[in-house]
Amino acid sequence: MTVPSSFTTFRSPAERAAAGREARRRVPRSSHAGFEAGPDRFDPVEVVERQSATRIPELVPIRYGRMLEAPFRFYRGAAAIMAADLGAASDTGLRVQLCGDAHLLNFRLLASPERHLVFDINDFDETLAGPFEWDVKRLAASFAIAGRANGFSAAEQNSAVATCVRAYRRRMRDFAGMRTLDIWYAQDDADHMRELMAASMSKEARRRTAKATASARTHTHMQAYEKLTRDTAEGRRITPDPPLIIPLRDLVDDAERGREQELRAVLEGYARTLSYERRHLLRRYRMVDIARKVVGVGSVGTRCWIVLLLGRDDDDPLLLQAKEAQESVLAPHSGGDGWDNQGRRVVAGQRLIQTTSDILLGWTHAVGLDGQERDFYVRQLRDWKGIARPETMDPDLLRLFGRLCGASLARAHARSGDPVAIAAYLGSGDRFDRALTVFAQAYADQNERDFEALGEAARSGRIHAATE
């Protein structure tokens, strides 16, 4: 019998563990400690400017303005800068499907298709295959930066980082001993997690966690519908809020009204990437309005559309978000990606590492208002989402959130990579944890220097930053 080419060559657990230990020999765990920019390090402002060159020009100043609000906001928009730094260092070669932008605000409560709340990663714009430690380092540094923003002591920051990395290491060790299907079906149910963590949480932390869970259940598509639309003479339409939300009708003149037909064709192309039963569901709706929307920090200036569809009547809405997918910031540092559609890359990566993806997640290719061809991915807009607010966390709660994020990232990596090899590399001791605690502080220092460099570029007139 010929083994299909889609099957990997079988290796025993012992051989996989040996591969992890060999990676440890090549790249010792202690080598991950610290970060020092060399004299020939790239100009971080130039990296951000190169990204801005592909974005909607009038929105670029908003991106700069958001990045200049604080070092943590800068970090959220600086994935390309960190990707270049990580790509310049030696790596373990233990590859997984990376989130690519694994900072703490990209972990949140989400609704599964079965209407259960789960805790998972929720941003895949930069997803690509690469060394597992790239995600762990970006996540670890985000906790140091968030702790600094809250005025926590260095010891409190380090405790949050170490807790996060330790949770990753220990859960990866658990996955290394599990059956393959058990790894694939593993998920972090919000109620179960709260029960497990109750013993180590203060009364106030338990109260706030319960409140966050209850709040997430209210963040439905109906809430988004009420917030983003209004009744008009033509029926329910998206509410303008320039420059953050601009309906298509306000972006094009009468001679360009055909653009709406093109966008309808785009939706048809997207529908073809869905399974049969989900295409059938989508056909029950009719499109009534489209608007351009500004989202996020790092994503500001990329093309993003919200689409309002209605089913039975005005009380039966569906809101979709079509977001431009550009090449991952990791691609120049990981050997490229080989994808023919960047939207498809995002969708494939999300389905690989997220336990319960949106049932209407798909991709398409489109010609924009400027006549340029671009790739997009499409998903539902807001459905049971709970977003962390690190600025409201005390040291204990930040540490507990680090535990959740580290364990969740391990689950994502175990689905797509080799948990046996990664666990063997990490080992049972805390050497990797301690190394990344040092790294997180060093990179938080570098992030502050890069933040100041962008601020100086704004003060000198090199870039223009705008407040909203």
Side-chain angles (χ1 to χ4, degrees):
M1 177 180 174
T2 302
V3 177
S5 59
S6 58
F7 283 71
T8 58
T9 302
F10 176 78
R11 293 190 303 168
S12 70
E15 291 172 323
R16 294 158 64 189
R21 289 191 292 271
E22 169 60 21
R24 187 195 298 181
R25 187 192 64 77
R26 290 186 288 100
V27 183
R29 290 164 297 177
S30 58
S31 69
H32 297 290
F35 174 83
E36 185 175 351
D40 57 346
R41 183 178 184 254
F42 52 86
D43 176 4
V45 178
E46 184 178 335
V47 173
V48 178
E49 287 178 314
R50 283 201 301 268
Q51 283 190 304
S52 297
T54 66
R55 313 235 171 153
I56 300 171
E58 62 266 30
L59 298 182
V60 169
I62 295 176
R63 183 191 186 209
Y64 292 150
R66 289 186 177 183
M67 292 180 70
L68 286 171
E69 288 178 12
F72 188 76
R73 296 276 278 182
F74 174 86
Y75 188 72
R76 290 177 60 188
I81 294 174
M82 192 170 191
D85 284 325
L86 294 173
S90 300
D91 66 74
T92 63
L94 300 176
R95 294 170 69 85
V96 299
Q97 184 71 26
L98 297 168
C99 162
D101 190 14
H103 63 74
L104 65 89
L105 280 183
N106 281 335
F107 291 76
R108 60 188 63 175
L109 292 170
L110 304 165
S112 74
E114 299 78 22
R115 317 311 292 154
H116 297 147
L117 269 179
V118 297
F119 186 79
D120 213 332
I121 302 171
N122 190 52
D123 190 302
F124 301 91
D125 287 4
E126 311 302 345
T127 185
L128 199 66
F132 82 91
E133 68 270 19
W134 288 5
D135 267 355
V136 186
K137 287 182 172 181
R138 183 149 177 82
L139 181 58
S142 75
F143 277 93
I145 295 166
R148 290 185 182 190
N150 287 0
F152 296 166
S153 68
E156 290 167 336
Q157 297 167 34
N158 290 343
S159 180
V161 173
T163 298
C164 172
V165 181
R166 182 168 58 249
Y168 178 93
R169 175 175 54 81
R170 288 179 173 175
R171 199 171 192 201
M172 189 62 73
R173 190 174 182 88
D174 291 341
F175 283 127
M178 290 172 60
R179 297 182 179 92
T180 302
L181 277 180
D182 290 340
I183 295 172
W184 192 259
Y185 288 134
Q187 65 176 224
D188 297 323
D189 179 88
D191 295 329
H192 181 56
M193 284 193 306
R194 192 168 66 248
E195 291 174 6
L196 290 176
M197 296 177 63
S200 58
M201 294 171 70
S202 67
K203 183 177 179 180
E204 173 63 15
R206 288 196 297 271
R207 184 192 67 79
R208 292 171 64 179
T209 302
K211 182 178 178 182
T213 302
S215 176
R217 289 191 168 99
T218 70
H219 292 176
T220 66
H221 71 289
M222 289 302 299
Q223 186 197 52
Y225 178 58
E226 293 296 331
K227 180 179 179 180
L228 294 172
T229 69
R230 66 182 181 183
D231 288 318
T232 71
E234 293 79 27
R236 198 77 175 186
R237 295 294 183 268
I238 297 172
T239 304
D241 182 21
L244 303 183
I245 300 176
I246 304 179
L248 177 66
R249 57 185 177 274
D250 296 334
L251 285 170
V252 298
D253 56 30
D254 290 339
E256 295 180 298
R257 294 300 178 190
R259 291 293 190 187
E260 185 168 336
Q261 294 303 316
E262 291 182 13
L263 286 170
R264 289 180 186 274
V266 167
L267 283 181
E268 287 295 327
Y270 147 70
R272 286 193 290 272
T273 69
L274 301 177
S275 59
Y276 173 80
E277 76 281 2
R278 294 172 186 181
R279 289 199 304 273
H280 179 78
L281 170 63
L282 193 63
R283 282 196 295 268
R284 292 180 177 269
Y285 293 88
R286 68 189 188 282
M287 189 179 77
V288 297
D289 204 9
I290 303 174
R292 191 181 74 189
K293 188 176 189 296
V294 174
V295 293
V297 177
S299 296
V300 175
T302 55
R303 283 79 182 166
C304 181
W305 298 91
I306 53 174
V307 185
L308 173 61
L309 302 98
L310 294 174
R312 179 193 60 207
D313 52 32
D314 283 2
D315 290 326
D316 185 19
L318 173 63
L319 278 165
L320 296 177
Q321 176 178 284
K323 188 176 181 184
E324 181 182 1
Q326 299 182 336
E327 182 182 68
S328 168
V329 297
L330 302 177
H333 315 289
S334 62
D337 61 23
W339 289 94
D340 60 350
N341 184 300
Q342 295 300 321
R344 186 173 187 175
R345 170 187 59 79
V346 172
V347 171
Q350 179 168 348
R351 288 175 175 166
L352 181 58
I353 64 179
Q354 191 182 54
T355 56
T356 54
S357 297
D358 180 3
I359 64 169
L360 294 178
L361 183 65
W363 70 91
T364 190
H365 184 75
V367 178
L369 296 179
D370 57 359
Q372 298 297 311
E373 295 187 3
R374 293 184 174 86
D375 297 330
F376 289 81
Y377 68 94
V378 184
R379 62 173 178 83
Q380 291 186 71
L381 182 64
R382 190 186 300 175
D383 194 17
W384 278 25
K385 290 185 180 179
I387 302 174
R389 296 178 59 198
E391 70 277 6
T392 69
M393 296 180 183
D394 61 21
D396 287 342
L397 199 53
L398 186 66
R399 185 171 61 251
L400 285 169
F401 193 68
R403 177 180 168 188
L404 290 178
C405 292
S408 181
L409 183 62
R411 175 179 37 74
H413 286 178
R415 285 168 62 93
S416 60
D418 186 345
V420 175
I422 296 173
Y425 178 85
L426 296 173
S428 58
D430 67 351
R431 184 168 297 181
F432 185 74
D433 315 5
R434 289 186 282 109
L436 258 65
T437 301
V438 177
F439 170 84
Q441 290 293 347
Y443 204 82
D445 291 341
Q446 183 62 56
N447 182 72
E448 290 178 1
R449 290 191 290 270
D450 292 344
F451 171 72
E452 290 299 327
L454 190 68
E456 178 56 35
R459 289 188 290 272
S460 70
R462 175 177 172 180
I463 64 168
H464 174 59
T467 57
E468 301 169 40

